Amino acid sequence: MGEEMATSAARIRLIEITPQPEKICWTCGIPGASIGVLHHGQILHRTAIGIENIDAGRPTHPSTIYGIGSLTKAFIAAGIAILVEEGKMEWTTPIKDLLPDFRSTDSYVQDHATVVDLLAHRTGLSFAAMEAFQGDGASLLPCSQILPCASTLTSVRSLREEWLYNSWGYSIAGLIIEQLSGKPVHAFLDDTFFKPLGLNKTSLRPDFERLGNAVAKPHAVLSNGIPVVLNHRQQFTDNVFEAAGGIFSNVDDLLTWSRFWLRCGPKDTTFPSSQLPDLLSAQIPIAQPSHLEKSYALGGWIRTQLPGSIGFMGDNAYILDDEPMPIVGGGLPSQLIYYHQGSTVGYFSNIALIPEIQSAIVVLTNGIGSADAADWLGQAVLQALLEPTAQPIDYLDWSERTVAKLKEYYAGLTQQIREERKPGTRPRDLRQYEGRYFNDLRNFFVEIRPSEKPAEEETLEMAFQGLDSQCYELRHLHDDTFKWSMTWDERARRGRYHCLDPDFYKFTFESTEPSSEIQHLVWANTPDTNYVYVKDS
């Protein structure tokens, strides 16, 4: 009776907080969200907020399908566990023994890194993703380029020294699945998890035309707080990050999926229960120093001991930067939570498991907001699910503070770029900059083109991979340096994430001598790292 009463009280609390999630979505500029809660292994709460397509005005539903981004990683890790279960590999097998073509700039990583290092983000390799991932959800590099690109990643920490998030590891894990199973990764997931577990709305390669309005439209919020439908939905088919973030799913399927991680699903499935301890064990600490546990497990799970802060993976922690995140579960007995966050163009997601009470929370949203609504929504729902003696947190206030901080960043970014202008400096004849600039692998290039604007405006155009759909305006900043920064609204309409590093938007052209021809383009497309692109002769 005690458990039944507690469950009934939790259900009432979840219903009572409904106005708060609606206000959080509105504050963050998110048109719609679907939320589901599992409690003691049973569905306790399913709800939907707002609309799935702001142009058509269609409402969301708990069954609405969204891109789930990095929540995909749990499926990939579980797939690796299946291969371990079948004896096709071991957790300690070096990557080079599974993929003979695996190479690294760090010989120690090349010889000793294992699949656990990939799945736990502890290779120490940099996460240089900008060549593969640009605006409008375009796929700029195919899966055939995973290993070549990974071979160029530089070591910024020693192997297993520090947690450094890196989706390339899951891209490589996808190749391992294909190599050992003999199936494309999307077919392997279909046969191993989606079909056996009845995840009928979950796919790595969804048929968007057939699904139609069942899939939420992707959105991004403008500077005035109003969301707009994006012109393109990100396509992951044959994309280098397909295995790292390409799944589309809905709340109902992800609640079913959560049951198996909580070990409370049917026992006649192929889910590798004997591997769950390995998948959910701590592999490397994160967000240190911390008195309580904060670590990364396999399967795309962050382990956090409550009371403690969560949301470490999302935009809110990025925007708030040095401001501590709220402490969840204050005043309650300590318990462990597993969570992860995901994003893809026009969608943000959040999932949490609370094993002690056999509970799970799933939040899916359809917009790049001015704060990570999926994170704040998930935390608000978690607070309502936990005992009412917890110290209450006003998540609407946190949403408003995050939005205000982001607006400050954009204003500061504009001002910083303006201050970097050097009066009196002029570019060369603009024609000297034109051409194609290639990376070391020559699988990616930036094309510099003439602009249609008058010469006195000192502008050029640049296009990633020479694609018209990836064209941006380059404006002269000083000397041989140009910028391609955009206003908030320009960025939003192009389906680009918030990037608050001013150096990311600068291109510097170089030559061996001031009077000689331009030979290189330098772009800091990864924080604190300059990449040199060589002009094609």
Side-chain angles (χ1 to χ4, degrees):
M1 178 60 73
E3 184 176 301
E4 290 180 3
M5 291 180 63
T7 297
S8 178
R11 182 181 290 109
I12 292 171
R13 291 195 300 272
L14 289 169
I15 294 173
E16 288 177 343
I17 69 160
T18 298
Q20 187 183 48
E22 292 175 347
K23 291 177 181 177
I24 289 173
C25 283
W26 175 258
T27 298
C28 300
I30 299 299
S34 297
I35 300 172
V37 179
L38 202 69
H39 195 46
H40 297 298
Q42 302 299 317
I43 293 177
L44 177 68
H45 183 68
R46 294 166 71 249
T47 190
I49 299 168
I51 51 182
E52 64 87 6
N53 181 344
I54 198 169
D55 288 345
R58 287 188 297 271
T60 56
H61 189 273
S63 63
T64 299
I65 298 170
Y66 302 77
I68 68 170
S70 286
L71 304 194
T72 300
K73 291 178 170 61
F75 291 90
I76 295 299
I80 292 291
I82 288 284
L83 300 175
V84 173
E85 187 88 351
E86 294 175 346
K88 294 180 178 178
M89 60 174 288
E90 297 180 1
W91 291 113
T92 56
T93 305
I95 302 167
K96 67 175 185 177
D97 292 347
L98 302 170
L99 299 172
D101 292 333
F102 173 72
R103 299 288 185 274
S104 175
T105 57
D106 186 321
S107 61
Y108 192 81
V109 170
Q110 181 171 312
D111 290 338
H112 298 283
T114 68
V115 70
V116 172
D117 299 316
L118 297 177
L119 300 182
H121 304 289
R122 62 184 200 186
T123 62
L125 298 175
S126 66
F127 181 25
M130 288 303 104
E131 291 181 353
F133 191 77
Q134 286 299 327
D136 299 309
S139 177
L140 301 185
L141 290 172
C143 286
S144 62
Q145 296 304 304
I146 293 173
L147 289 182
C149 288
S151 72
T152 67
L153 301 178
T154 57
S155 287
V156 293
R157 294 290 186 274
S158 298
L159 180 67
R160 301 171 193 143
E161 174 188 359
E162 185 178 329
W163 182 85
L164 292 172
Y165 191 75
N166 194 332
S167 286
W168 285 106
Y170 280 79
S171 299
I172 296 170
L175 294 181
I176 292 172
I177 288 175
E178 294 187 340
Q179 178 77 10
L180 299 187
S181 72
K183 299 178 181 179
V185 66
H186 69 275
F188 175 86
L189 295 181
D190 280 343
D191 295 341
T192 307
F193 299 121
F194 303 159
K195 293 176 182 177
L197 303 183
L199 309 183
N200 299 320
K201 302 299 182 182
T202 303
S203 177
L204 194 57
R205 294 198 176 177
D207 184 345
F208 293 119
E209 185 174 348
R210 180 182 61 82
L211 292 169
N213 297 333
V215 185
K217 289 287 187 181
H219 299 74
V221 67
L222 300 178
S223 56
N224 62 5
I226 304 299
V228 293
V229 176
L230 296 177
N231 293 326
H232 305 280
R233 179 183 282 120
Q234 186 164 9
Q235 301 295 320
F236 280 97
T237 299
D238 195 33
N239 179 290
V240 288
F241 291 127
E242 182 176 21
I247 287 179
F248 279 70
S249 187
N250 67 5
V251 160
D252 294 333
D253 279 6
L254 291 177
L255 288 177
T256 299
W257 178 238
S258 298
R259 276 198 180 103
F260 296 93
W261 287 95
L262 293 168
R263 306 186 191 186
C264 55
K267 298 186 182 300
D268 58 341
T269 71
T270 58
F271 194 86
S273 59
S274 67
Q275 299 301 320
L276 276 175
D278 292 288
L279 287 166
L280 293 175
S281 292
Q283 300 296 334
I284 190 164
I286 64 172
Q288 299 300 303
S290 174
H291 173 66
L292 301 178
E293 181 181 356
K294 286 187 178 181
S295 63
Y296 202 88
L298 305 182
W301 297 109
I302 294 178
R303 298 164 49 101
T304 297
Q305 188 179 352
L306 300 183
S309 60
I310 57 177
F312 180 70
M313 289 285 305
D315 266 16
N316 294 330
Y318 171 59
I319 295 168
L320 293 171
D321 194 19
D322 56 356
E323 183 175 352
M325 296 283 278
I327 301 299
V328 181
L332 294 176
S334 180
Q335 58 185 313
L336 191 64
I337 182 174
Y338 297 83
Y339 75 92
H340 211 273
Q341 295 160 268
S343 63
T344 180
V345 174
Y347 305 99
F348 273 65
S349 56
N350 187 9
I351 189 169
L353 307 177
I354 311 98
E356 189 170 316
I357 53 176
Q358 291 288 283
S359 296
I361 297 167
V362 176
V363 180
L364 305 178
T365 67
N366 62 339
I368 301 174
S370 44
D372 186 347
D375 178 21
W376 294 139
L377 290 172
Q379 294 198 37
V381 171
L382 176 62
Q383 177 172 257
L385 182 64
L386 297 175
E387 294 296 326
T389 54
Q391 299 169 4
I393 298 168
D394 185 348
Y395 284 104
L396 178 58
D397 177 67
W398 275 94
S399 301
E400 292 170 345
R401 288 161 58 182
T402 311
V403 171
K405 188 72 173 287
L406 183 65
K407 290 181 178 179
E408 289 178 10
Y409 272 125
Y410 270 96
L413 181 64
T414 301
Q415 180 62 27
Q416 184 172 347
I417 292 176
R418 185 180 297 119
E419 291 174 353
E420 289 184 10
R421 290 187 179 277
K422 295 180 181 178
T425 64
R426 298 291 304 277
R428 308 177 187 217
D429 183 326
L430 296 179
R431 290 173 294 184
Q432 293 188 40
Y433 302 105
E434 294 173 14
R436 291 183 170 184
Y437 297 78
F438 284 82
N439 65 357
D440 290 342
L441 293 173
R442 291 190 66 84
N443 63 1
F444 180 89
F445 67 91
V446 179
E447 183 174 82
I448 306 299
R449 307 171 174 176
S451 170
E452 295 181 358
K453 290 192 174 183
E456 58 267 21
E457 294 194 25
E458 299 177 342
T459 62
L460 291 161
E461 287 184 354
M462 68 92 165
F464 297 116
Q465 299 290 56
L467 299 171
D468 291 339
S469 64
Q470 293 295 309
C471 190
Y472 296 86
E473 185 177 79
L474 275 179
R475 297 173 293 278
H476 184 244
L477 189 62
H478 62 79
D479 303 307
D480 288 325
T481 298
F482 289 72
K483 66 181 180 70
W484 60 286
S485 58
M486 294 162 280
T487 65
W488 180 314
D489 290 354
E490 288 171 338
R491 175 208 54 78
R493 293 184 186 279
R494 297 296 295 269
R496 302 190 67 90
Y497 294 123
H498 301 293
C499 179
L500 307 176
D501 178 6
D503 290 337
F504 177 77
Y505 298 104
K506 291 191 291 190
F507 281 3
T508 298
F509 297 89
E510 293 183 341
S511 58
T512 53
E513 300 291 339
S515 59
S516 62
E517 294 183 355
I518 295 292
Q519 296 169 312
H520 306 111
L521 182 159
V522 179
W523 176 29
N525 64 32
T526 302
D528 303 319
T529 305
N530 287 327
Y531 289 86
V532 178
Y533 297 80
V534 178
K535 190 174 185 179
D536 193 16
S537 58

